[in-house]
Amino acid sequence: MFVDTRTVENNSVFHTDICVIGAGAAGITIAKELIGSRHRVILLESGGLEPDQSTQAIYEGRSIGLTYPLSDTRSRYFGGSTNQWWGNCRPLDDIDFEQRSWIAYSGWPFHKQELLPFYARAQALCKLDGYENYNPETLQKHSLRISPLSLDEERVVTKVIQTCPSVRFKDLYQQDIATAQNVDTFLWSNAIALEPNEPCTKVNHVRAKCLNGNEFSISARIVIVAAGGIENARLLLASNKVAKAGVGNEHDLVGRYFMEHPTVGFSLKATRPTEGFRFYDYDERQHVGNMIVWGMLSLSSDLMRRRQLLGMSIYFVPGDPEGIPSLREIKNVLVRRTVPRDVLAHLQSVVRNSYAIGQFILQRKLLKLPTKSLLPGEYSIATLFEQAPNPSNRVTLSSERDALNQLRTELRLQLSEAERENYVESLRILAEAAGWDLDPMQLKVGHGSDPWRIGFFSHHMGTTRMNDDPKKGVVDRHCRVHGISNLFIAGSSVFPTGGSSAPTLTLVALAIRLTDHLKDILH
Ligand SMILES: Cc1cc2nc3c(=O)[nH]c(=O)nc-3n(C[C@H](O)[C@H](O)[C@H](O)COP(=O)(O)OP(=O)(O)OC[C@H]3O[C@@H](n4cnc5c(N)ncnc54)[C@H](O)[C@@H]3O)c2cc1C
């Protein structure tokens, strides 16, 4: 059932078995996995079922260092950021879980093996098919229109990506959750504080507030914070009545080690990539059976170890989608104030392709890809880099308040000199292996007058990192906050490192694993 909590009695207290804060990829996964169980669930969601400006504004904040769009990279309503994601999925690689001597603070508490059964279930939940097809050799057993390249695997490998055919979690699961007997979804409900007992060993209540001022509390046996990679940290830090530094922050780790996947887009001033590279072209994604597949070029794990490199993947970016030339025509009409005879056809083309146009504009904006139309013979390349965990890259509370009177987010984010050099080195190796003659000027990731404009993929990781040692991590291997018996975190904020693959499939796998664990302990 969906409940509009703006109309419940002020200061009501609700009781449940499990309270999940946030109905994005992680929260919806957990609620879905609990449907039909004997546990009562309250799914608390800040927004409604459609975007709302005042709610979205709660995401605004301040970035220090690299400019970071705190609101554009998230969606604050049922479905969370999957309302605007691109649906590209891939599990992390073995090496991403390892402790890598050349990357400080790297290493997950378990190997990838631990996640394999959950990755298989996450594939199904994301409506993806054939986990085994991430292996290029297995994939080639299908009749592919375009095949991955045979590469010098000592240096460069193909990473197969699968794209969700039906993309938004809201569209996939709203109905199931609305009709579930044991799940109540509280819409328009912002968690504003976790209220623990006096020694801060258990969360007694989740305090929530609506934008109309209504407040209420939820008392739950288990509380799961699933509010996204930035907001998870913000909520723990804001819960500072009993623990002055915030809940779970005894060792000053909450909010630290924020990681993104920085990208430096550039155009390759060469002829369109030769035939062989089409598998790595976003425009050429192939439908194979129930799958949509394509690929990124990446460094081999052996090479990363030998040369002490961070992860990196690259792909070719599409040219203008259908409808963009018409959009330019219409813009021209507004500027010149003369209407050409075919204006109706242009308008129709824009309306018909509005989703693709919106996605295209957003992608170019967030990834800071060249905005100009590419000339014939120019081709855009997007890079996706792994960022090293760095305690100085962190989410804190700013001094400004939002409409709920909560302190806004402040994000400090820098790329270190070592990371920049590392990226340049990776690109050199990759360009050499691919036979591209890149302008050496383009291979500078400088400061100040950055010749490369650094964009981001909207992947928020690391702010409540996982480590079995409470002095090194906020949550343990089961995603439980150290020292607090009934508080768990879901989402990519628990990632100790982010590899060079998009995070959602992994965070969904972790959310399924967490739900299984809770079913065990609540037995
Ligand atoms: C443009 C774009 C493209 C992307 N493309 C990809 C991609 O191709 N592949 C990929 O893997 N990832 C992609 N991502 C990232 C992906 O969307 C996220 O990894 C994923 O949605 C994170 O899931 P989550 O549940 O942790 O957080 P979210 O999906 O952000 O959900 C958090 C939910 O919590 C709610 N909430 C927040 N604070 C509170 C509060 N205090 N109280 C109550 N509710 C609250 C929010 O309203 C939201 O519904 C993309 C993101 C963007 C923006």
Side-chain angles (χ1 to χ4, degrees), residues 84-104:
Q84 56 170 340
W85 78 324
W86 300 317
N88 298 318
C89 292
R90 178 181 167 81
L92 291 174
D93 296 304
D94 289 347
I95 191 172
D96 299 328
F97 292 82
E98 293 169 11
Q99 188 168 2
R100 288 169 275 172
S101 58
W102 63 102
I103 303 177

Side-chain angles (χ1 to χ4, degrees), residues 22 24-26 45-46 73 76-77 80-81 85-88 189 191 231 502 504:
E45 169 52 46
S46 165
T73 53
R76 201 167 168 119
Y77 65 104
S81 301
W85 78 324
W86 300 317
N88 298 318
S189 310
E231 222 63 6
T504 308

Side-chain angles (χ1 to χ4, degrees), residues 26 29-30 33 117-125 505-518:
T29 297
I30 294 167
E33 289 292 300
F118 304 103
Y119 270 134
R121 285 163 64 186
Q123 286 283 116
L125 201 130
L505 187 70
T506 300
L507 75 85
V508 168
L510 280 170
I512 296 172
R513 178 174 170 271
L514 170 58
T515 318
D516 278 8
H517 176 66
L518 295 179

Side-chain angles (χ1 to χ4, degrees), residues 172-470:
L172 288 174
Y173 297 118
Q174 178 180 329
Q175 185 65 12
D176 291 354
I177 289 175
T179 52
Q181 294 292 313
N182 65 324
V183 180
D184 288 328
T185 303
F186 285 10
L187 297 173
W188 308 107
S189 310
N190 300 279
I192 53 168
L194 307 170
E195 298 179 338
N197 60 359
E198 203 45 77
C200 203
T201 53
K202 180 174 181 279
V203 173
N204 287 336
H205 292 101
V206 174
R207 189 75 185 153
K209 188 172 179 182
C210 308
L211 277 172
N212 69 353
N214 221 18
E215 289 199 31
F216 61 93
S217 291
I218 295 162
S219 154
R221 289 167 70 195
I222 299 284
V223 175
I224 306 170
V225 182
I230 294 174
E231 222 63 6
N232 285 354
R234 181 183 178 203
L235 181 60
L236 295 188
L237 293 171
S239 304
N240 56 8
K241 284 242 167 70
V242 172
K244 292 298 165 210
V247 163
N249 199 22
E250 202 180 337
H251 299 287
D252 188 21
L253 294 171
V254 174
R256 292 188 184 272
Y257 303 95
F258 174 84
M259 293 169 290
E260 244 280 15
H261 284 130
T263 172
V264 185
F266 56 94
S267 53
L268 192 61
K269 285 211 172 47
T271 49
R272 189 179 168 106
T274 54
E275 192 63 7
F277 289 101
R278 283 172 56 213
F279 187 73
Y280 313 93
D281 183 338
Y282 200 71
D283 250 0
E284 299 267 14
R285 287 175 294 170
Q286 305 173 67
H287 289 254
V288 183
N290 294 327
M291 287 182 291
I292 302 172
V293 289
W294 56 291
M296 293 194 188
L297 288 167
S298 200
L299 303 175
S300 76
S301 301
D302 277 353
L303 183 103
M304 284 166 68
R305 287 193 189 93
R306 275 200 315 275
R307 306 286 280 264
Q308 308 211 320
L309 296 170
L310 291 155
M312 182 197 69
S313 302
I314 71 144
Y315 62 99
F316 298 96
V317 186
D320 293 352
E322 219 184 307
I324 284 275
S326 292
L327 188 69
R328 291 207 180 96
E329 282 299 321
I330 291 167
K331 253 172 84 182
N332 277 342
V333 171
L334 296 176
V335 174
R336 293 197 212 111
R337 298 191 184 281
T338 51
V339 182
R341 277 171 50 208
D342 50 1
V343 71
L344 200 62
H346 287 308
L347 273 172
Q348 279 167 341
S349 169
V350 170
V351 171
R352 208 175 38 248
N353 298 293
S354 57
Y355 184 75
I357 293 172
Q359 289 287 320
F360 173 79
I361 292 172
L362 183 69
Q363 194 172 22
R364 298 238 146 195
K365 185 176 164 198
L366 293 175
L367 303 188
K368 301 229 174 101
L369 295 169
T371 45
K372 273 190 314 184
S373 208
L374 295 174
L375 299 170
E378 276 192 345
Y379 212 74
S380 234
I381 292 182
T383 49
L384 181 154
F385 293 115
E386 177 175 29
Q387 217 183 340
N390 173 353
S392 306
N393 286 333
R394 65 188 297 203
V395 167
T396 54
L397 301 178
S398 87
S399 51
E400 283 170 28
R401 291 187 182 270
D402 64 21
L404 298 162
N405 202 29
Q406 293 290 105
L407 293 176
R408 287 194 182 278
T409 302
E410 190 164 278
L411 175 68
R412 275 162 215 270
L413 183 57
Q414 285 292 1
L415 282 184
S416 70
E417 200 58 55
E419 277 169 314
R420 288 166 187 254
E421 282 168 14
N422 205 296
Y423 297 165
V424 171
E425 176 68 2
S426 299
L427 271 169
R428 271 190 209 288
I429 293 169
L430 203 135
E432 195 186 296
W436 299 325
D437 185 19
L438 284 182
D439 177 351
M441 271 314 288
Q442 286 188 314
L443 293 181
K444 272 191 202 150
V445 189
H447 294 285
S449 60
D450 260 344
W452 277 10
R453 300 173 348 129
I454 297 168
F456 296 96
F457 276 87
S458 312
H459 301 160
H460 305 140
M461 302 170 285
T463 57
T464 62
R465 67 197 328 259
M466 191 193 298
N467 196 294
D468 282 335
D469 181 348

Side-chain angles (χ1 to χ4, degrees), residues 20-35:
V20 184
I21 301 170
I28 285 180
T29 297
I30 294 167
K32 165 98 179 84
E33 289 292 300
L34 287 167
I35 289 178

